[in-house]
Amino acid sequence: MHQSKEIEKTFKFNEKDKETVKYSLNRFSVAPMLDWTDRHCRYFHRLLSQQTLLYTEMVTTGAIIHGKGDYLAYSEEEHPIALQLGGSDPQALAHCAKIAQERGYDEINLNVGCPSDRVQNGRFGACLMGEAELVADCVKAMQDVVNVPVTVKTRIGIDEQDSYQFLCDFIDTVVRRSGCNIFTIHARKAWLSGLSPKENREIPPLDYPRVYQLKKDFPQLTIAINGGVKSLEEAKQHLQHVDGIMIGREAYQNPSILAQVDHELFDASMPVVDTVAVVKALYPYIEQELSKGTYLGHITRHILGIFQGIPGARQWRRHLSENAHKSGADISVVEQALAMVTERM
């Protein structure tokens, strides 16, 4: 092993820590992102922040019930971790939620925000905003079989149904019929046709004041805001109006932002995490995964942006990109890449 047990232990999320963050699980989170927030990514993100709530990629009920792989695999170190489910069949969602709780997930989240055609064809994602009673039934079915929080991630509207009243009616229906009290609101509406998922993250304008108003009108609910947040300073401004922040692409492309989260948003006495130490703390995990047959590139693709803006970052990214995919690539590839950064510090 390249990492001492002492340093490795520093980055463990223990049971005491888990109890500490229960009351604030949704204060700061990394968004579920398809093809990005897999288990390797989440393990890495956990080394950067102990307090951040981490989400899986969206997993469909069909994949869990009928798929051949283990779509719920994760490392214990990833806690607190939320599973985002995609589906619209209350019975199937309840079945999957129960399995997820048995597997130890800390929260179950229902996707009511993804606008892709594939998701719509499965009758889940953002199109469910037009079926508030069904969403409520889905949430209620899951709540009836688990005792971890069941939450909803949604948009502020869909297509021409984008008035504030529509959003309030949707939230009110879900709350009254299911008792759900935690919502993450992506502060853009979704166009269900005509825009790609990428365009749906960029073209519909952000409307943060609408989410702020939602919190004022539903003060009893925990409301987190999502969409376009690129810094912790922005996050602090939002936290003056809502209960939580969810950051997506910025946290993935510039993960060093997570190294500051615990200090800036939770406890000022906690140190800002050393990103070089985090990379070294990842070595045992990498070696363990390599021994199981995992390709190095499947892990290192998630850490390319960790030194963004630091001398040597370009060489770090290039070395990993050019060598991690090669046959037999091992931990030495990461060590060599890291040296290109540390020798310039």
Side-chain angles (χ1 to χ4, degrees):
M1 287 289 183
H2 290 75
Q3 190 64 27
S4 71
K5 290 293 183 183
E6 288 73 20
I7 295 179
E8 185 181 354
K9 185 178 178 181
T10 301
F11 294 98
K12 293 286 187 181
F13 185 84
N14 58 44
E15 286 302 313
K16 183 179 179 182
D17 295 327
K18 191 174 178 180
E19 291 298 320
T20 301
V21 302
K22 274 186 177 178
Y23 68 91
S24 58
L25 273 184
N26 299 90
R27 182 170 172 80
F28 187 88
S29 63
V30 175
M33 292 176 280
L34 195 62
D35 296 326
W36 283 8
T37 51
D38 64 17
R39 62 188 182 89
H40 305 311
C41 175
R42 298 191 304 266
Y43 190 98
F44 170 56
H45 284 178
R46 178 57 66 221
L47 296 180
L48 289 161
S49 169
Q50 293 289 290
Q51 306 286 3
T52 297
L53 175 62
L54 302 178
Y55 279 82
T56 67
E57 306 167 84
M58 181 187 69
V59 184
T60 66
T61 54
I64 295 172
I65 297 171
H66 305 295
K68 294 181 180 179
D70 183 0
Y71 292 90
L72 299 181
Y74 69 94
S75 300
E76 284 300 313
E77 290 85 352
E78 294 173 39
H79 289 292
I81 179 173
L83 169 68
Q84 186 181 69
L85 285 173
S88 59
D89 180 334
Q91 204 168 16
L93 284 163
H95 178 67
C96 292
K98 188 172 182 180
I99 294 173
Q101 176 173 276
E102 291 169 353
R103 293 288 294 270
Y105 279 88
D106 300 294
E107 176 186 310
I108 313 297
N109 178 265
L110 180 64
N111 184 317
V112 190
C114 182
S116 78
D117 292 339
R118 183 175 65 84
V119 167
Q120 289 181 59
N121 291 337
R123 200 187 175 203
F124 54 93
C127 64
L128 286 178
M129 280 202 82
E131 300 185 68
E133 292 187 359
L134 175 59
V135 172
D137 291 345
C138 289
V139 173
K140 178 78 164 57
M142 290 188 281
Q143 287 180 330
D144 286 346
V145 296
V146 302
N147 52 32
V148 297
V150 177
T151 67
V152 171
K153 183 174 186 289
T154 188
R155 296 273 185 143
I156 59 174
I158 49 173
D159 296 338
E160 301 303 333
Q161 297 174 289
D162 62 351
S163 69
Y164 181 64
Q165 188 60 52
F166 171 77
L167 176 60
C168 287
D169 289 345
F170 172 80
I171 297 294
D172 182 64
T173 298
V174 175
V175 171
R176 282 189 298 101
R177 290 176 63 98
S178 74
C180 180
N181 60 8
I182 303 175
F183 293 82
T184 297
I185 312 293
H186 186 158
R188 306 179 197 267
K189 76 172 183 179
W191 285 103
L192 299 181
S193 61
L195 294 183
S196 69
K198 180 178 185 295
E199 290 170 329
N200 259 301
R201 291 192 298 268
E202 300 168 352
I203 292 177
L206 286 160
D207 191 346
Y208 296 137
R210 183 168 294 194
V211 184
Y212 299 164
Q213 187 62 47
L214 192 70
K215 174 60 184 178
K216 288 181 181 178
D217 292 337
F218 294 87
Q220 77 279 17
L221 301 181
T222 296
I223 302 288
I225 200 167
N226 169 234
V229 183
K230 294 184 179 299
S231 72
L232 295 188
E233 285 307 310
E234 291 178 35
K236 290 177 182 178
Q237 293 173 18
H238 288 306
L239 285 171
Q240 295 177 25
H241 305 280
V242 294
D243 303 295
I245 306 295
M246 175 182 279
I247 292 186
R249 303 175 78 80
E250 187 67 21
Y252 187 87
Q253 295 169 338
N254 181 22
S256 63
I257 192 174
L258 299 178
Q260 306 169 54
V261 166
D262 295 358
H263 174 81
E264 293 289 338
L265 298 184
F266 288 89
D267 184 350
S269 68
M270 300 179 74
V272 173
V273 176
D274 181 343
T275 51
V276 171
V278 164
V279 172
K280 291 181 178 179
L282 192 61
Y283 288 175
Y285 176 82
I286 292 174
E287 292 185 314
Q288 182 182 53
E289 286 297 316
L290 292 178
S291 71
K292 297 176 182 177
T294 301
Y295 289 107
L296 180 64
H298 290 173
I299 302 172
T300 57
R301 70 188 183 97
H302 301 300
I303 67 177
L304 293 177
I306 185 61
F307 297 119
Q308 185 171 305
I310 294 176
R314 183 177 299 176
Q315 290 84 351
W316 155 267
R317 292 192 301 269
R318 180 183 298 156
H319 190 79
L320 290 180
S321 298
E322 292 178 353
N323 296 283
H325 69 281
K326 293 180 179 178
S327 177
D330 59 19
I331 195 71
S332 65
V333 172
V334 185
E335 292 176 319
Q336 292 160 7
L338 185 60
M340 295 174 184
V341 176
T342 56
E343 66 186 13
R344 301 184 64 176
M345 288 182 167

